């Protein structure tokens, strides 16, 4: 493990994580609304926002899947040191992290009919995050909102199997937006 | 302040609760199991709400606690002091000034805003529990969307009493999918469940967290020929004169004397300060 892996975490864990969680919660409660976060310096190619989400939500109880381009020694060491989260295959992962075209969407856990919460949350690294493109409606959205999504049909399919399904956090630089399974995309 | 981790709970517990909150928001009305911790207060005193509040509070928040609408009951005062001490947050009794409001059995009269969070204390989160005691069965009923039993219960109310007699903890259907217990709020408050703020529900003893995101459809169960009716005492507040607020009935002597006053103390005080008066109110100057 390199010394770099020990650096770049929250400076004041409880306080930084509390602020970060509020941003993540607002993102999940208000799909499409873009939030800003700060407080970590993760190794490339992780964005600041993805690093904040991982440090806020992941720990030894949450296996995490890294896509091939994110599965580097620097990223693995950083996540392991700061969170203790075990690395896992997509089917066992509670969280997944990487760019959209590397995520094997069909392989993640979507929960069970009795326990739909036992499903994966995908942290999708985006080249750009903007309120334009797909129309979003559903819980958390007054009337409608817009968000640029990589593959609208995947999210439509995901919403169709509600209450089962995956939940998404899109990250880009220090910004993030949420898309829970309850959101209808058109 | 330095004797505790921020907001009392350890970080791993808070992460576990936070993950449950996110899943709750993603599946509105669904009860997410969580590993409820022992808190320095007994079950039934808001341990679920306290754990949810601990997971969402930041040092910048202004915290308000109400118990049946009142800011000054033992339960409300002790929870407010608890977070003043363990999280260093500022506290308030004014609904408009609060960013996080923990509540037992009421929704404030004043409409809540986008930047506010309402945390409910929940005793029995399962709306079907009194109809079906088995958790395995109620889980299956939720998964199959099999809510016939609940309608039978409401129907039996009508056949016995001529109307739906459920006055509090009135069941709702969230976003057309899950039937949910809104906690024992009076059914007068049910229409307010569709609001701009995030609503989080915590049941400590029963180890469940659930949520309603802002602008989510919440429908109180009813029948076409017996539509849902939010009810309150047919009276105005005797202190502030409000006719639109939920009222508590107080017995004031042993001669059968009684009066009605707003259950939401902050709302009542605000109206009094604005110069409103009810039939039994003492002038503001005399109380100071």
């Amino acid at each position: 493990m390199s010394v770099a892996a020990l650096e770049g975490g929250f400076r004041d864990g409880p306080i930084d994580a509390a602020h970060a969680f509020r941003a993540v919660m607002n993102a999940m409660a208000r799909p499409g609304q873009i939030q800003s976060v700060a407080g970590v310096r993760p190794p490339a190619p992780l964005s600041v926002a993805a690093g904040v989400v991982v440090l806020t939500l992941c720990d030894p109880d949450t296996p995490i899947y890294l896509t091939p381009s994110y599965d580097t020694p620097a990223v693995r060491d950083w996540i392991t040191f700061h969170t203790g989260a075990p690395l896992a295959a997509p089917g066992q992962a509670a969280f997944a992290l990487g760019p959209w075209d590397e995520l094997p969407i069909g392989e993640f856990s979507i929960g069970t009919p009795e326990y739909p919460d036992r499903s994966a949350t995908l942290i999708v690294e985006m080249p750009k995050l903007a309120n334009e493109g797909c129309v979003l409606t559903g819980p958390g959205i007054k009337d409608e909102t817009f968000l640029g999504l990589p593959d609208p049909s995947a999210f439509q399919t995901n919403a169709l199997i509600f209450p089962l399904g995956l939940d998404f956090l899109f990250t880009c630089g220090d910004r993030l937006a949420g898309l829970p399974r309850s959101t209808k995309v058109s | 302040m330095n004797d505790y981790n921020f907001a009392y709970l350890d970080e791993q517990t808070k992460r576990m609760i936070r993950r449950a909150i996110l899943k709750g928001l993603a599946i509105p009305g669904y009860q997410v199991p969580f590993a409820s911790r022992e808190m320095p207060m007994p079950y039934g005193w808001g341990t679920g709400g306290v754990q949810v509040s601990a997971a969402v509070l930041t040092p910048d928040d202004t915290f308000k606690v109400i118990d049946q609408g009142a800011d000054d009951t033992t339960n409300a005062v002790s929870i407010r002091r608890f977070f003043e001490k363990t999280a260093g947050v500022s506290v308030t009794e004014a609904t408009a000034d609060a960013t996080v409001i923990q509540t037992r059995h009421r929704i404030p009269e004043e409409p809540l805003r986008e930047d506010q969070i309402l945390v409910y204390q929940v005793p029995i989160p399962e709306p079907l529990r009194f109809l079906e005691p088995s958790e395995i069965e109620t889980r299956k009923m939720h998964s199959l969307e099999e809510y016939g039993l609940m309608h039978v219960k409401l129907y039996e109310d009508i056949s016995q009493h001529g109307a739906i007699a459920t006055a509090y903890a009135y069941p709702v259907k969230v976003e057309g999918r899950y039937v949910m217990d809104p906690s024992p709020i009076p059914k007068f408050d049910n229409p307010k469940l569709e609001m701009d703020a995030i609503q989080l529900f915590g049941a400590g003893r029963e180890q469940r967290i659930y949520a309603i995101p802002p602008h989510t459809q919440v429908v109180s169960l009813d029948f076409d020929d017996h539509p849902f009716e939010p009810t309150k005492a047919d009276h105005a507040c005797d202190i502030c004169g409000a006719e639109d607020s939920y009222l508590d009935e107080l017995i004031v002597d042993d001669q059968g004397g009684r009066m009605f006053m707003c259950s939401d103390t902050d709302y009542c005080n605000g109206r009094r300060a604005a110069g409103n008066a009810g039939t039994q109110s003492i002038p503001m100057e005399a109380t100071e």
Side-chain angles (χ1 to χ4, degrees):
Chain A
M1 187 183 277
S2 66
V3 177
L6 313 182
E7 294 171 346
F10 285 138
R11 195 159 297 168
D12 183 353
I15 307 293
D16 290 350
H19 286 293
F21 174 69
R22 280 289 275 275
V24 175
M25 182 175 79
N26 277 322
M28 206 50 107
R30 299 187 167 85
Q33 202 181 87
I34 295 173
Q35 312 284 331
S36 289
V37 289
V40 304
R41 286 174 290 110
L46 246 72
S47 66
V48 169
V52 165
V53 172
V54 168
L55 263 53
T56 305
L57 298 177
C58 297
D59 59 27
D61 293 337
T62 58
I64 182 167
Y65 168 75
L66 300 175
T67 65
S69 70
Y70 276 63
D71 194 8
T72 66
V75 173
R76 278 199 304 266
D77 286 353
W78 192 78
I79 290 178
T80 305
F81 176 75
H82 289 282
T83 71
L87 300 172
Q92 279 76 51
F95 288 89
L97 171 57
W100 176 257
D101 47 20
E102 291 182 16
L103 288 163
I105 289 300
E107 294 177 35
F108 294 104
S109 169
I110 55 168
T112 66
E114 275 89 6
Y115 294 95
D117 58 302
R118 295 178 185 172
S119 56
T121 303
L122 274 49
I123 305 162
V124 186
E125 291 271 48
M126 303 277 282
K128 160 174 181 231
L129 200 55
N131 288 119
E132 56 187 28
C134 297
V135 182
L136 312 185
T137 55
I141 302 165
K142 192 174 188 176
D143 307 322
E144 61 178 29
T145 186
F146 301 89
L147 190 67
L149 295 173
D151 178 9
S153 66
F155 302 102
Q156 288 164 354
T157 313
N158 188 52
L160 276 180
I161 56 171
F162 185 89
L164 303 184
L166 304 169
D167 304 311
F168 300 89
L169 285 165
F170 299 103
T171 53
C172 176
D174 63 353
R175 297 153 76 235
L176 64 91
L179 190 85
R181 65 194 80 180
S182 57
T183 303
K184 288 155 205 81
V185 176
S186 57
Chain B
M1 177 64 203
N2 292 330
D3 301 339
Y4 297 92
N5 186 34
F6 173 71
Y8 186 78
L9 293 172
D10 62 279
E11 287 307 294
Q12 194 167 355
T13 297
K14 277 194 262 176
R15 278 192 295 270
M16 175 267 297
I17 295 171
R18 285 167 179 165
R19 291 192 296 262
I21 290 172
L22 294 184
K23 288 297 174 192
L25 286 165
I27 319 166
Y30 164 76
Q31 301 162 51
V32 185
F34 82 111
S36 179
R37 298 294 192 250
E38 216 167 302
M39 299 301 286
M41 61 191 73
Y43 286 134
W45 285 72
T47 54
V50 165
Q51 290 179 78
V52 171
S53 292
V56 302
L57 279 173
T58 75
D60 304 341
D61 277 314
T62 305
F63 191 54
K64 168 183 163 90
V65 188
I66 51 172
D67 177 359
Q68 304 258 12
D71 292 274
D72 51 4
T73 67
T74 310
N75 197 192
V77 170
S78 58
I79 292 173
R80 205 159 54 227
R81 283 196 189 144
F82 176 75
F83 282 114
E84 239 180 327
K85 188 171 177 183
T86 61
V89 291
S90 48
V91 295
T92 183
E93 294 192 2
T95 303
D97 296 342
T99 52
V100 178
I101 303 173
Q102 182 172 327
T103 176
R104 174 176 174 272
H105 308 356
R106 266 321 301 281
I107 298 175
E109 303 291 352
E110 199 175 321
L112 298 185
R113 302 181 310 262
E114 284 256 324
D115 60 334
Q116 293 177 306
I117 299 169
L118 188 58
V119 178
Y120 295 76
Q121 304 172 193
V122 182
I124 310 281
E126 176 52 73
L128 304 166
R129 182 59 70 238
F130 291 109
L131 307 170
E132 170 52 64
S134 159
E135 169 71 9
I136 291 171
E137 289 300 319
T138 52
R139 283 254 150 208
K140 192 163 284 170
M141 289 159 79
H142 281 295
S143 74
L144 297 172
E145 219 176 330
E146 176 49 71
Y147 296 126
L149 203 55
M150 185 57 91
H151 281 99
V152 170
K153 191 235 170 214
L154 297 176
Y155 170 75
E156 284 181 347
D157 263 13
I158 294 170
S159 63
Q160 276 183 29
H161 309 289
I164 297 174
T166 308
Y168 65 94
Y170 191 102
V172 296
K173 197 167 208 182
V174 181
E175 205 59 26
R177 179 56 181 81
Y178 282 99
V179 164
M180 190 196 91
D181 183 340
S183 87
I185 58 172
K187 68 177 172 182
F188 174 82
D189 281 343
N190 273 26
K192 295 188 228 160
L193 288 163
E194 285 183 5
M195 63 164 73
D196 293 348
I198 296 174
Q199 298 171 83
L200 305 173
F201 299 76
R205 179 184 49 215
E206 302 289 322
Q207 316 206 327
R208 296 290 183 272
I209 285 172
Y210 51 105
I212 305 178
H215 316 297
T216 299
Q217 185 201 53
V218 182
V219 177
S220 303
L221 299 182
D222 62 359
F223 297 99
D224 287 345
D225 53 346
H226 283 88
F228 171 77
E229 254 184 301
T231 53
K232 65 184 272 289
D234 188 16
H235 210 277
C237 173
D238 285 324
I239 306 290
C240 77
E243 294 179 1
D244 56 353
S245 72
Y246 191 73
L247 302 174
D248 287 338
E249 185 178 2
L250 309 180
I251 309 294
V252 291
D253 55 34
D254 57 2
Q255 309 297 311
R258 60 190 56 200
M259 66 182 285
F260 291 88
M261 68 175 285
C262 294
S263 121
D264 185 336
T265 51
D266 175 56
Y267 183 74
C268 202
N269 289 341
R271 282 182 49 85
R272 289 257 289 143
N276 296 292
T279 54
Q280 297 188 43
S281 55
I282 306 158
M284 279 296 256
E285 306 79 61
T287 62
E288 276 155 17

